[in-house]
Amino acid sequence: MNRAFCKRIGVTVIAAASAMIVSIAPAAAITDIKIAGNGGTFTFHDDGDVFEVCDTNADGAAVLGRLYYKPIGGDWYVTEEEEDGGDGGCDKMPHDVNGVGDYQMKLYWLGTGYPGLLQATSRVFNE
């Protein structure tokens, strides 16, 4: 084969391989997720896998953030929960979100007469 022909084949192969590598994108990483309800917020910080529950209403009632988990082929259950209210700042809970199953966040208001009133629900997510 002549040298110029081999060079063209080499360039073509490299270009095709580069196009394939560029088109194979890594799995989309989740970003921070924030849900808000009457009286509070529940936020997932992907950097560090930390969940933060904040009582934002000085009504004397706390808020409760629950993290639900559904393993592959299983049923939903509460894997973590954190309550915030009556103090300064927000409460945090670390939890390693992995790619084996689905997660969902739910925020509840714990007001008098309405213990556990659902305020907000996140989309289902995983890593």
Side-chain angles (χ1 to χ4, degrees):
M1 283 190 199
N2 98 23
R3 189 177 199 98
F5 181 71
C6 289
K7 194 173 189 179
R8 277 184 257 162
I9 289 176
V11 169
T12 303
V13 169
I14 291 171
S18 297
M20 286 177 52
I21 290 170
V22 170
S23 69
I24 301 172
I30 59 174
T31 57
D32 290 357
I33 299 170
K34 182 175 184 176
I35 57 175
N38 184 24
T41 62
F42 190 14
T43 306
F44 169 61
H45 300 284
D46 186 35
D47 184 19
D49 284 356
V50 174
F51 292 84
E52 181 178 49
V53 180
C54 300
D55 182 358
T56 60
N57 195 357
D59 60 1
V63 291
L64 173 70
R66 284 189 174 150
L67 178 62
Y68 289 81
Y69 176 68
K70 181 181 180 187
I72 297 171
D75 294 323
W76 287 102
Y77 67 90
V78 176
T79 185
E80 300 279 351
E81 65 180 26
E82 187 67 47
E83 185 178 317
D84 184 52
D87 61 356
C90 302
D91 289 349
K92 296 180 180 179
M93 61 180 178
H95 184 86
D96 182 29
V97 173
N98 59 52
V100 185
D102 291 324
Y103 292 88
Q104 188 171 44
M105 300 160 38
K106 294 188 179 185
L107 180 68
Y108 299 86
W109 181 66
L110 303 178
T112 305
Y114 299 98
L117 182 63
L118 181 62
Q119 294 291 304
T121 302
S122 75
R123 64 179 173 82
V124 174
F125 62 95
N126 60 27
E127 282 186 327

